[in-house]
Amino acid sequence: MNIHEYSAKELFAKFKIPIQNEIVCSTPEEVAAAADKIGLPVVVKAQVLTGGRGKAGGVKFTKTKNEAIEAANNILGMKIKNLIVKKVLVCEAAAIAKEYYVGMVNDRNTKSVLLMLSAEGGVEIEEVAKTYPEKIIKISVNPQTGLLPFQAREALFNIMTDGNEVRQAADILVKLYSLYVHSDCSLAEINPLVVDKSGKVIALDAKINFDDNALYRHKAFEELADYTEDEKLEIDAKEKGLAYVKLDGEIGCMVNGAGLAMTTMDVINLYGGTPANFLDIGGSSNPQKVIHAMEFLLNDKNVKGVMINIFGGITRCDDVARGLIEAFSKMNVNVPVVIRLSGTNAAEGRELLKGNDKLMPAETMSEAAQKIIAAIK
Ligand code: GDP
Ligand code: MN
């Protein structure tokens, strides 16, 4: 789960990581009041869950109250990468001397938190990673000791020269690591971490992702969520025991098993089709689950056909076929549906489906993909 900059900075404040004075606002009137309270100049920043706000015109430096109001008028309601800006953060403007990048992420290779540092702060770090990977320093943190101050300092001397800056930045990194672990983050970034003209180091931006699998331990984070419509669908599906991810294609997929679901999408692509989703219904023949799954597929207006791909292991194909027949008898499905049954009791399953006018059988995955692609042409 992703949270907005203003929420991330509230967490920063709790962990005593230095930030600017700032106030989150939803209207130009609130922005005017915030500018009065904070004192000019201020920076007005779009609160959307995507990077590159600066480039998109979502971050405005303003010297007068009228400029701040004008910036609020422009930014509120603006679309950045298809997300509508509903809130802005009004920040005390920092006089920037230097910009750095610092970040932490879960690293599966070392099974620890990876600390990343770069002197190329402020710009999109993904670009730096692509063009100059050597400009990002990576250090994995021993989970047993955590990030120790001397390690943070040693790491920072790779990108900074001034001892006073390093001391402040190391303190920030140690606190960020503590926040990261306590809050079960999967990513935390400060980009840019700035040194201002008085030599003070502060976090000018904040990006935090929480590990979804640990969210149950942090009930208070629930209210920080700002899910997109697609994400809401995924959460709803999860509650129904389905792993669903919406995509942009035309062929709805219903599959038992995550690996097989990935393969199904590949095979559809291979024959020139486009998958509308990833959907793993798990290993059961429960008709109610099939009905729920079909509801997700058919609610997507892009879906022109459905490919059901079942490999019977412990789940027997004849049970699945019975479940499907029962589910489809209760539903009004007006798109073609192809079903491939393979594995335990596949022949029995196919026998049961014989003569069913709602489900077109296929013996192999390739045949199923080609059949559904032809059917929607
Ligand atoms: P992002 O583009 O979404 O990453 O938004 P940021 O909060 O990182 O802001 C983008 C850039 O705007 C920063 O790298 C700074 O160069 C500039 N900026 C943001 N806040 C301030 C500020 O308080 N003072 C100054 N001078 N520049 C700022
Ligand atoms: Mn940034």
Side-chain angles (χ1 to χ4, degrees), residues 134-248:
E134 72 282 1
K135 291 195 177 173
I136 301 176
I137 289 146
K138 296 176 178 169
I139 294 156
S140 55
V141 181
N142 183 327
Q144 238 128 32
T145 57
L147 182 64
L148 299 171
F150 86 89
Q151 292 170 323
R153 288 195 295 272
E154 189 178 61
L156 284 159
F157 269 116
N158 286 299
I159 60 164
M160 294 174 168
T161 50
D162 183 286
N164 179 40
E165 284 176 22
V166 167
R167 246 189 318 278
Q168 294 179 62
D171 184 53
I172 291 175
L173 283 184
V174 168
K175 286 169 175 163
L176 188 65
Y177 184 82
S178 166
L179 180 160
Y180 190 100
V181 172
H182 279 104
S183 314
D184 288 313
C185 296
S186 54
L187 177 132
E189 279 184 329
I190 306 178
N191 187 23
L193 178 74
V194 306
V195 181
D196 74 8
K197 298 227 162 104
S198 72
K200 196 169 175 268
V201 181
I202 50 173
L204 212 73
D205 192 6
K207 180 173 174 180
I208 284 184
N209 288 356
F210 296 124
D211 179 349
D212 291 345
N213 294 316
L215 276 177
Y216 74 96
R217 296 205 285 213
H218 307 277
K219 289 283 172 241
F221 292 165
E222 258 166 38
E223 63 190 51
L224 306 181
D226 182 9
Y227 293 120
T228 61
E229 292 310 311
D230 288 355
E231 284 167 333
K232 282 181 196 156
L233 276 178
E234 289 169 18
I235 291 163
D236 184 20
K238 203 172 177 182
E239 282 163 6
K240 294 178 170 131
L242 306 165
Y244 173 81
V245 179
K246 190 186 167 318
L247 302 166
D248 295 328

Side-chain angles (χ1 to χ4, degrees), residues 47-65:
Q47 297 299 288
V48 275
L49 294 176
T50 177
R53 295 167 303 166
K55 253 194 229 159
V59 177
K60 282 269 164 10
F61 188 97
T62 66
K63 291 193 187 112
T64 66
K65 197 152 114 181

Side-chain angles (χ1 to χ4, degrees), residues 53-335:
R53 295 167 303 166
K55 253 194 229 159
V59 177
K60 282 269 164 10
F61 188 97
T62 66
K63 291 193 187 112
T64 66
K65 197 152 114 181
N66 277 339
E67 275 178 27
I69 294 169
E70 197 190 317
N73 274 322
N74 287 335
I75 296 172
L76 287 165
M78 171 192 257
K79 251 190 184 175
I80 301 180
K81 293 184 193 160
N82 255 333
L83 298 165
I84 295 170
V85 181
K86 292 180 218 137
K87 285 182 177 153
V88 291
L89 189 60
V90 178
C91 310
E92 170 190 14
I96 300 176
K98 286 178 214 156
E99 298 187 77
Y100 298 97
Y101 166 90
V102 299
M104 292 175 189
V105 68
N106 283 351
D107 179 25
R108 289 168 203 275
N109 289 324
T110 58
K111 300 184 180 72
S112 55
V113 175
L114 190 72
L115 174 63
M116 297 172 293
L117 308 164
S118 179
E120 305 291 316
V123 290
E124 265 187 271
I125 199 67
E126 290 79 5
E127 278 306 306
V128 181
K130 231 189 273 166
T131 333
Y132 309 104
E134 72 282 1
K135 291 195 177 173
I136 301 176
I137 289 146
K138 296 176 178 169
I139 294 156
S140 55
V141 181
N142 183 327
Q144 238 128 32
T145 57
L147 182 64
L148 299 171
F150 86 89
Q151 292 170 323
R153 288 195 295 272
E154 189 178 61
L156 284 159
F157 269 116
N158 286 299
I159 60 164
M160 294 174 168
T161 50
D162 183 286
N164 179 40
E165 284 176 22
V166 167
R167 246 189 318 278
Q168 294 179 62
D171 184 53
I172 291 175
L173 283 184
V174 168
K175 286 169 175 163
L176 188 65
Y177 184 82
S178 166
L179 180 160
Y180 190 100
V181 172
H182 279 104
S183 314
D184 288 313
C185 296
S186 54
L187 177 132
E189 279 184 329
I190 306 178
N191 187 23
L193 178 74
V194 306
V195 181
D196 74 8
K197 298 227 162 104
S198 72
K200 196 169 175 268
V201 181
I202 50 173
L204 212 73
D205 192 6
K207 180 173 174 180
I208 284 184
N209 288 356
F210 296 124
D211 179 349
D212 291 345
N213 294 316
L215 276 177
Y216 74 96
R217 296 205 285 213
H218 307 277
K219 289 283 172 241
F221 292 165
E222 258 166 38
E223 63 190 51
L224 306 181
D226 182 9
Y227 293 120
T228 61
E229 292 310 311
D230 288 355
E231 284 167 333
K232 282 181 196 156
L233 276 178
E234 289 169 18
I235 291 163
D236 184 20
K238 203 172 177 182
E239 282 163 6
K240 294 178 170 131
L242 306 165
Y244 173 81
V245 179
K246 190 186 167 318
L247 302 166
D248 295 328
E250 297 181 334
I251 298 173
C253 310
M254 192 195 308
V255 188
N256 67 335
L260 190 60
M262 297 296 280
T263 311
T264 305
M265 290 166 20
D266 282 349
V267 172
I268 289 171
N269 267 314
L270 181 69
Y271 289 106
T274 51
N277 63 281
F278 167 96
L279 173 59
D280 172 13
I281 59 168
S284 94
S285 50
N286 178 352
Q288 189 52 50
K289 220 166 177 183
V290 173
I291 292 173
H292 280 148
M294 281 305 288
E295 278 166 0
F296 279 99
L297 298 188
L298 300 177
N299 275 340
D300 179 350
K301 294 288 160 263
N302 293 335
V303 168
K304 293 199 182 132
V306 173
M307 172 169 165
I308 303 177
N309 190 3
I310 304 293
F311 180 78
I314 296 170
T315 320
R316 292 163 29 176
C317 288
D318 51 341
D319 281 345
V320 174
R322 269 184 220 102
L324 286 170
I325 291 165
E326 189 187 331
F328 274 75
S329 71
K330 289 180 187 161
M331 281 184 294
N332 183 16
V333 178
N334 47 14
V335 296

Side-chain angles (χ1 to χ4, degrees), residues 33-48:
D36 277 339
K37 201 160 175 199
I38 292 169
L40 291 156
V42 292
V43 178
V44 182
K45 300 170 86 176
Q47 297 299 288
V48 275

